[in-house]
Amino acid sequence: MSSASVEAAGQPRYVVGIDLGTTNSAATYVDTWESAWRVRTLLLPQIVAPGVFERHETLPSFHYEPAAGEFANRAFQLPFGEQAAGVVGRFARDHGALVPGRLVVSAKSWLCHSGVDRMAPLLPWHAPPDVTKLSPVEVSSRYLEHIRAAWDADFPDAPLAEQDVVLTLPASFDEVARELTVKAAARSGMPRLVLIEEPQAAFYAWIDRHRHDWQERVNPGQKILVCDIGGGTSDFTLIRVRAEPDGKVRFHRVAVGEHLILGGDNLDLALAHHLEKRFSPEGRLEPRDWAALARTCRQVKETLLGKNAPETLTVSLPGGGTRLVGGARQVEVAREEVRELLVEGFFPKTGLGDRPSARQSGFREFGLPYAPDPAITRYLAAFLTAHRHVALDEVELADGQDPARPDIVLLNGGLFESDVLRARLLEVLAGWFSPSGTKPPWTPIVLDNDRLDLAVARGAAYYGMVRRGRGERISAGLARSYFIGVESRPPSAVCLIPAGVEPGEEIHLAQRPMDLIVSQPVEFPLYVSSTRLTDAAGELVAVDREQMTPLPPIRTVLQTRKKSAETTQVTLHGKLTEIGTLDLWCSQIGGPGRWRLQFDVRSATQTDAVAHQAVAEQRGFVEESVWNEVEAHLRATFAARAGAPPAGLVKRLTAAIDMNRRLWPPSLLRRIWETLMETEAGRRRSAEHEARWLNLLGFALRPGYGMAMDDWRVAETWRLLQGNLVHAAAMCRAEWWILWRRIGAGLSAGQQQALVDPLIGSLRAMVRQAATGRGRGSELSAGSHEAAEIWRLLGSLELLPAALKIELGEMLVELAPRRKMESIRAAALWTLGRLGARSPLYGPLNSVVPSQAAGKWLAELLKLDYEGEMADFAVMQLARRTDDRYRDINPKLHAKAVAWLRRRGAAAHYVELVETGGQLDEEEQGIVFGEALPIGLRIGS
C-alpha cells in the first residue's frame, strides 16, 4: 500500500504494540507505509546510574519514589526531558532494591487485586510515612507515560496519541481489571487503544516469525496450548487449528484459564522464606531486611536456574546505618538446593487428575492475593481437564488418546528463560499423556520462541496489522460466558453474553423481557464462567458457584421525563466492544428508552463499597400480612396525624413479627428503612420521636451493605440527614452517632471524613486539657454517653486516613487511664482495638495503621492491665496474627500479648486468633461491629 493511499484512508502511519508486564515492559511498532512491513522494537531510554542513561529493548516495571531533594539535579534527566516524578526502569529496579520502602513492584498484579482500593494511593505497599504513595492505576500510567515520551522523542511528527496502540493484558483479567487498564492508558495520553490477551499476542508473534510457512507447520484438528508464565501471573490458553472451506487452516482460540497471581515473584518469595531461616534462626527478619532479601532472591533464582549455574552462590544482606558494608550478613546457597525447592515446589510431577489445594497461601508479604497452591502443574492439569471436550466434535482422536491432550505447546514468559523449568514442565506434560512404558513415548511439538521478553509486544504490533487486514487472524471470540442473576429459588441466572461472541457482535435477549421501575436504581447480579462455554444466549441455568464467579453487579437508573415512579418493560442487550471490554444496556419495549448498564466498578476498585453477594436475600421474607401489621405500627407512630407513642414501638413491632429482633431478616429490615424514610417528617414531632426514628433507621440499614442497592439506600440516608438533626437533646445526639456507626461500612471515605471533621477540634481540646490542665477544655464531656458513642463511631470508620487514625489512637492512649473516662473506658478500649486492628472488618488492607503504631498502643494496654473483657478484645485486635509481616506486630511483643491473654483467662479463641491467626466467629463479628449483625450478613474476615 502506498503512502498516499494510507493517508487517504485516514489511518495513522504506525501501529504500536505495548506489553505492560509485571516485571518488564516493552514496545514494538510497524510502519504501515512499508509494503514489506516488519515489526521493530522501540529502544527505551532509561536511567541506569546518576548522570547515565542507556537505551534498552525492555523497561523494567519498577517505580522508585525518591526522597525530598534526592534527585534535585540534572543527573536524572532523560533525552525527552526531566522526570515528572519518580524514576522508572533499570535504576528504579537496582537502586530500589537498596531502599525497598520507596520501590513499587508488581503494579500490574495490583490492578486485579479486589481486596484493596486500586484507585487509592497505596504503593509502595507499607512504605514509610514520608513516601508519596501512588495508586496501581497511576503507577501503570507512569510506565505508559515513559513509553509515550520515548516514542514522541523519536517520532516527533507522529505522536503516540495519534497512532493505533495495541496494549496487552493477561487473558484472565476480569472486566474491572480491563477497565482499569484502559483508564491507566487514558491517563498516559493514549486514547486510541485496543486490548489483546498476552497468550494470544505471544502466538501472533510466532505466526509473524513464520508468516511464509506457518500453514505447513500445523494441521487441522490440532490443539495448541499456550502457557504464558511471567513475573506475576500464569495464563493458559487453548487454540484449535481448523480447516476452512477454502482449503486453508485457521486458528480459533477456544479457552482461557482462571486468573492466577502465580509466577516468578512467587518463586522469589519461596526462596526468600527458605533463606530467611538461615539469616534469622530466631524468627522473622525485619520488614526492611525481608524486602531486600526478596529482591535479592530474584537474582539468585535467575542465576541458579539459568545456564552455566555455579554450584553455590553467596547471598548477602546489607547491614544497617553506618555499618552498611561491615555489618553485611552472608549465607551460602547450593544450586541443587534451590532447584529442589523451586522445581519440586512449583512444578512437581503431579497426576493429570490432581487438583490445586484450596488452602490459603502463606505469601502475604506484599499484600497481593497469591494463588493458594504454588504448584503450577496442578493448575495446568485442572485447566486441561476442565476443557477436555471443548470443540471436540470437529476432531478425530487416535485410539486411546485423551481429549485433554494438546498437540502443540508454545511456552512464553520470563520464567521459561530457565531451561530447567522449561524442561520440567514439558516432562510433566508428556508424563500425563504418555504413561510409563508407552512406545514410543508421546511428546508435544514445541514451537520456537526466540525472545520470551519481546514476544508479547511483537505479537501485539502484528495484531494491529491484522486489524487492518494485513496478517493472519486468530478467531478469538469471548473466552468466557456472562450470566445475569434472576429472582428464583434455587438461584438461577440467564446467559447474557455467551462464549464465542466476536468483537462488535450484539446479543439481544428479546425472549426474556423484564419489568423495571423507572427513576429508581436497578441492580443485576452478574456472574462469569470460563468453563461453561456452551450455554446459549437467553438460556436459564442454575447458579453453580463451582463454575460461576460473581462479579461486581451491573446497574443503572432508568430516568425518564416523568417524575412519578412507573413500571416499564425492557429487554437486555450486550456486545463485546472492539477495544475488548463489555458494553451492556437495556431498551424499552415499544418506546424510545435506552439505558446503559455499568459495572459497579466502585465496589471493586474502591472498597469503601462492597460488591453485593446476594447472600442476605436468601435469609427469607416475612408473610405479607405480617409486614402489613409492621407497616401499620410504623405509620401509626411517625405518619401524619399519628398518635401512637414512640416509647413502646420496638415492643409492638417484635410482637407483630413474633421474632426476636436479632433474627429479623434483612429483607424485612430494608422495608422498615423504606417506610421510615417515607415518614421522616414524623421525627420532628418530639425529641422522643426523633431518637426512636434514628435508632430504628440505623438498625434497619445496618451494616450499610449486604442487600442489593444498599449503597443507594445509604446515599439516600446521607442526602436526607446530613447535618439535619432536629432536636438537640442528648438522647437524639447519641442516637445520631449510633446511626452513622451502624451504617458506616456503607459510607464513602469522603463521607466518613465529613463526620469526623466537626468533632476533631473538640477531641483535641479534650486531650490538651486532660494532659496539661490548661485550655478551655472541650464542649464534650469526657465521660458522657454521647462521648462514648462518638468514640465508637470513630473506631468504626475504617476508611479514614491512617494518619488521622493514629492521632485518634494516641488520644485514647492518653485519655483512657484518667478517672473521667472510667465510665466509658470499655467504649474507649473497643475503639482503640478497631483503630489498630490488624485485620480490617470491611475496609481495604491499605486502611490498616502501621504495625509500629498498633504495637505502641498494645504495649500501653499490657502495661496498664485494664480489667474487663473489652481489654481482652482490644489486645486481640491489636495483636491478631495475619502472617503478613508488614501488618503483624514485632514477635517479642506478640509473645507478651499471648502470655497476657493466657494469664487473664481470656476467651480461648481470642488466644488462638493472636497466637496462630484465623477467622472471627459469628459472636466475635458482632463484638467487632458493635452489636449483632442481621441474620445472614457477615463482614470482615
Side-chain angles (χ1 to χ4, degrees):
M1 182 179 289
S2 68
S3 169
S5 62
V6 172
E7 290 184 294
Q11 292 181 312
R13 175 173 178 174
Y14 295 99
V15 168
V16 182
I18 298 178
D19 173 18
L20 184 62
T22 304
T23 305
N24 287 290
S25 297
T28 60
Y29 64 97
V30 173
D31 185 345
T32 64
W33 290 10
E34 296 178 342
S35 56
W37 58 272
R38 63 188 180 92
V39 178
R40 295 180 170 90
T41 302
L42 179 68
L43 295 179
L44 298 168
Q46 50 203 286
I47 301 296
V48 295
V52 181
F53 81 86
E54 298 174 353
R55 292 177 177 268
H56 291 272
E57 293 179 317
T58 60
L59 177 76
S61 302
F62 294 81
H63 182 284
Y64 179 74
E65 192 67 24
E70 185 177 359
F71 297 158
N73 55 62
R74 301 180 65 82
F76 292 90
Q77 183 176 347
L78 285 166
F80 45 78
E82 193 77 29
Q83 289 288 317
V87 177
V88 302
R90 277 167 169 71
F91 179 82
R93 179 193 65 194
D94 300 337
H95 181 68
L98 304 175
V99 195
R102 295 184 173 275
L103 181 66
V104 177
V105 299
S106 303
K108 181 177 176 180
S109 296
W110 287 93
L111 278 179
C112 56
H113 185 358
S114 60
V116 298
D117 177 353
R118 288 165 276 181
M119 298 294 290
L122 54 90
L123 300 176
W125 187 243
H126 290 294
D130 64 318
V131 176
T132 301
K133 292 190 174 185
L134 306 171
S135 73
V137 173
E138 177 63 26
V139 175
S140 301
S141 176
R142 290 195 180 186
Y143 297 149
L144 294 172
E145 283 177 10
H146 187 99
I147 294 172
R148 179 184 56 77
W151 172 276
D152 290 349
D154 285 356
F155 300 90
D157 297 330
L160 189 58
E162 298 175 7
Q163 309 311 307
D164 283 341
V165 176
V166 180
L167 183 61
T168 69
L169 41 65
S172 52
F173 256 25
D174 65 20
E175 295 310 311
V176 174
R178 289 169 185 254
E179 289 191 17
L180 292 173
T181 302
V182 172
K183 185 184 292 288
R187 285 189 180 185
S188 70
M190 298 184 190
R192 301 176 65 98
L193 183 71
V194 173
L195 302 177
I196 184 174
E197 297 164 357
E198 289 163 3
Q200 191 178 335
F203 192 71
Y204 269 128
W206 179 84
I207 296 175
D208 179 41
R209 195 158 54 252
H210 300 284
R211 66 171 70 178
H212 302 299
D213 66 349
W214 65 263
Q215 292 264 5
E216 302 168 11
R217 294 173 178 262
V218 295
N219 296 307
Q222 288 180 318
K223 184 161 62 173
I224 302 169
L225 167 67
V226 182
C227 188
D228 185 9
I229 306 177
T233 59
S234 292
D235 252 340
F236 307 128
T237 291
L238 290 177
I239 296 173
R240 178 71 76 181
V241 185
R242 290 173 176 164
E244 299 294 330
D246 59 5
K248 294 184 177 182
V249 297
R250 295 287 184 268
F251 299 110
H252 294 253
R253 197 275 318 279
V254 294
V256 300
E258 301 289 344
H259 183 65
L260 296 173
I261 299 186
L262 179 61
D265 290 350
N266 298 72
L267 275 70
D268 301 343
L269 288 174
L271 182 55
H273 275 288
H274 179 71
L275 296 181
E276 180 183 30
K277 298 170 185 176
R278 298 192 198 172
F279 279 110
S280 182
E282 302 300 320
R284 291 180 171 186
L285 290 169
E286 290 297 318
R288 173 190 171 91
D289 291 337
W290 165 257
L293 177 60
R295 303 287 168 253
T296 301
C297 283
R298 175 177 58 85
Q299 299 170 321
V300 175
K301 172 199 69 182
E302 292 173 356
T303 300
L304 295 182
L305 293 182
K307 292 183 174 66
N308 304 316
E311 290 188 6
T312 62
L313 196 66
T314 299
V315 182
S316 299
L317 274 184
T322 58
R323 304 182 65 232
L324 189 61
V325 177
R329 292 156 289 173
Q330 297 181 337
V331 299
E332 291 287 325
V333 59
R335 178 185 61 205
E336 295 309 314
E337 170 190 2
V338 170
R339 293 187 175 185
E340 173 73 18
L341 174 74
L342 300 183
V343 176
E344 300 304 329
F346 289 87
F347 293 88
K349 295 179 180 179
T350 62
L352 185 61
D354 291 351
R355 292 294 174 266
S357 168
R359 70 181 186 280
Q360 193 167 23
S361 169
F363 292 159
R364 305 184 196 176
E365 277 74 15
F366 299 107
L368 289 168
Y370 293 112
D373 191 325
I376 294 173
T377 45
R378 276 195 279 270
Y379 286 105
L380 179 57
F383 170 71
L384 291 175
T385 53
H387 299 285
R388 176 177 265 133
H389 300 292
V390 171
L392 191 61
D393 54 341
E394 59 200 63
V395 180
E396 291 185 11
L397 299 175
D399 290 342
Q401 178 180 335
D402 189 330
R405 191 191 82 183
D407 303 287
I408 300 173
V409 175
L410 174 65
L411 301 179
N412 190 66
L415 208 67
F416 293 117
E417 293 283 3
S418 166
D419 290 341
V420 175
L421 298 180
R422 175 188 177 92
R424 169 52 70 90
L425 181 68
L426 293 174
E427 178 188 1
V428 172
L429 192 61
W432 288 339
F433 304 107
S434 181
S436 178
T438 302
K439 302 274 186 194
W442 173 86
T443 56
I445 300 169
V446 181
L447 302 180
D448 59 298
N449 188 350
D450 65 329
R451 289 299 300 268
L452 295 168
D453 55 343
L454 293 178
V456 168
R458 286 175 172 176
Y462 180 87
Y463 174 62
M465 296 302 291
V466 169
R467 297 184 72 248
R468 296 195 181 194
R470 300 174 69 184
E472 183 62 33
R473 177 181 290 273
I474 301 171
S475 176
L478 194 62
R480 46 185 69 86
S481 299
Y482 288 84
F483 303 83
I484 193 164
V486 296
E487 290 188 9
S488 64
R489 299 192 183 194
S492 300
V494 172
C495 184
L496 175 59
I497 301 184
V501 168
E502 295 283 348
E505 182 180 350
E506 294 188 2
I507 301 296
H508 306 281
L509 300 188
Q511 72 274 36
R512 291 194 176 275
M514 295 185 174
D515 291 325
L516 299 180
I517 301 176
V518 300
S519 301
Q520 289 189 15
V522 179
E523 177 176 290
F524 303 95
L526 195 68
Y527 304 90
V528 63
S529 176
S530 60
T531 55
R532 297 189 65 103
L533 305 179
T534 59
D535 296 313
E539 186 174 346
L540 184 68
V541 301
V543 173
D544 182 351
R545 292 299 295 272
E546 292 295 320
Q547 294 184 307
M548 302 164 69
T549 303
L551 285 175
I554 52 177
R555 59 182 56 201
T556 190
V557 177
L558 280 64
Q559 298 284 9
T560 66
R561 294 184 179 182
K562 297 180 180 180
K563 294 185 178 180
S564 59
E566 62 180 35
T567 299
T568 186
Q569 273 205 323
V570 301
T571 55
L572 295 176
H573 314 265
K575 73 174 181 179
L576 180 65
T577 68
E578 294 292 337
I579 293 178
T581 58
L582 286 183
D583 191 9
L584 307 172
W585 71 96
C586 61
S587 59
Q588 188 177 19
I589 297 176
R594 178 185 169 103
W595 299 271
R596 185 162 184 254
L597 300 172
Q598 293 182 308
F599 284 101
D600 182 13
V601 177
R602 176 171 172 262
S603 71
T605 64
Q606 296 179 319
T607 46
D608 52 7
V610 182
H612 171 55
Q613 296 292 325
V615 173
E617 284 88 337
Q618 301 173 17
R619 291 297 170 169
F621 301 82
V622 298
E623 292 182 4
E624 197 63 19
S625 60
V626 173
W627 165 247
N628 291 336
E629 189 174 350
V630 168
E631 183 181 23
H633 285 304
L634 292 170
R635 294 189 181 278
T637 306
F638 297 113
R641 296 185 297 277
L649 178 58
V650 174
K651 289 185 177 179
R652 296 193 292 274
L653 293 176
T654 302
I657 301 168
D658 193 24
M659 186 187 301
N660 186 297
R661 68 174 187 161
R662 292 182 57 180
L663 302 179
W664 294 358
S667 58
L668 170 64
L669 291 169
R670 297 317 188 250
R671 294 185 78 175
I672 290 174
W673 172 87
E674 184 178 343
T675 301
L676 289 169
M677 292 289 283
E678 292 174 1
T679 59
E680 180 267 339
R683 70 182 173 115
R684 304 172 184 274
R685 194 164 297 137
S686 70
E688 290 77 11
H689 280 82
E690 182 168 35
R692 178 52 58 201
W693 187 89
L694 292 169
N695 179 277
L696 268 179
L697 192 76
F699 183 79
L701 192 50
R702 76 193 200 286
Y705 68 89
M707 290 283 287
M709 304 313 303
D710 268 354
D711 60 339
W712 171 76
R713 294 184 182 98
V714 171
E716 288 294 293
T717 304
W718 180 267
R719 181 185 62 79
L720 181 67
L721 293 184
Q722 175 57 17
N724 190 20
L725 187 63
V726 178
H727 300 91
M731 72 174 109
C732 293
R733 295 198 306 270
E735 293 296 346
W736 177 262
W737 305 123
I738 292 171
L739 162 67
W740 297 119
R741 171 178 60 77
R742 281 172 162 169
I743 68 172
L747 296 173
S748 69
Q751 290 168 336
Q752 292 192 3
Q753 184 70 52
L755 289 172
V756 177
D757 286 343
L759 298 171
I760 194 69
S762 294
L763 295 174
R764 287 170 178 160
M766 181 192 301
V767 173
R768 185 169 54 249
Q769 204 281 332
T772 66
R774 295 192 297 270
R776 193 179 59 168
S778 172
E779 303 169 354
L780 189 64
S781 174
S784 66
H785 175 53
E786 182 183 2
E789 295 303 340
I790 286 174
W791 282 117
R792 285 159 61 84
L793 166 65
L794 295 174
S796 71
L797 302 179
E798 292 189 348
L799 303 181
L800 296 177
L804 180 54
K805 289 184 181 181
I806 292 172
E807 180 183 4
L808 293 171
E810 296 293 334
M811 289 181 182
L812 285 170
V813 169
E814 174 66 33
L815 290 173
R818 301 185 181 277
R819 183 175 299 176
K820 289 183 178 180
M821 293 286 289
E822 190 170 353
S823 61
I824 67 165
R825 185 167 292 141
L829 293 174
W830 180 91
T831 300
L832 192 64
R834 285 294 303 273
L835 289 171
R838 301 297 79 209
S839 294
L841 194 61
Y842 62 85
L845 291 178
N846 54 290
S847 69
V848 176
V849 302
S851 60
Q852 295 85 347
K856 180 181 176 182
W857 304 342
L858 176 61
E860 285 295 313
L861 291 184
L862 298 182
K863 180 174 67 175
L864 293 171
D865 202 17
Y866 293 114
E867 296 181 356
E869 294 181 3
M870 206 49 68
D872 298 347
F873 167 83
V875 168
M876 180 274 290
Q877 287 278 87
L878 297 170
R880 184 177 169 188
R881 180 167 180 165
T882 68
D883 286 325
D884 178 347
R885 76 186 66 228
Y886 293 92
R887 282 189 285 154
D888 287 346
I889 58 173
N890 75 69
K892 291 183 179 179
L893 187 57
H894 181 266
K896 288 182 180 179
V898 173
W900 187 88
L901 289 169
R902 290 189 187 282
R903 174 177 60 80
R904 288 166 57 96
H909 197 229
Y910 278 9
V911 178
E912 180 183 340
L913 288 170
V914 173
E915 191 167 27
T916 61
Q919 303 292 313
L920 299 173
D921 61 30
E922 186 174 349
E923 182 180 355
E924 290 161 349
Q925 283 244 323
I927 295 172
V928 175
F929 178 64
E931 63 184 299
L933 288 162
I935 185 171
L937 288 180
R938 180 180 176 84
I939 55 180
S941 60

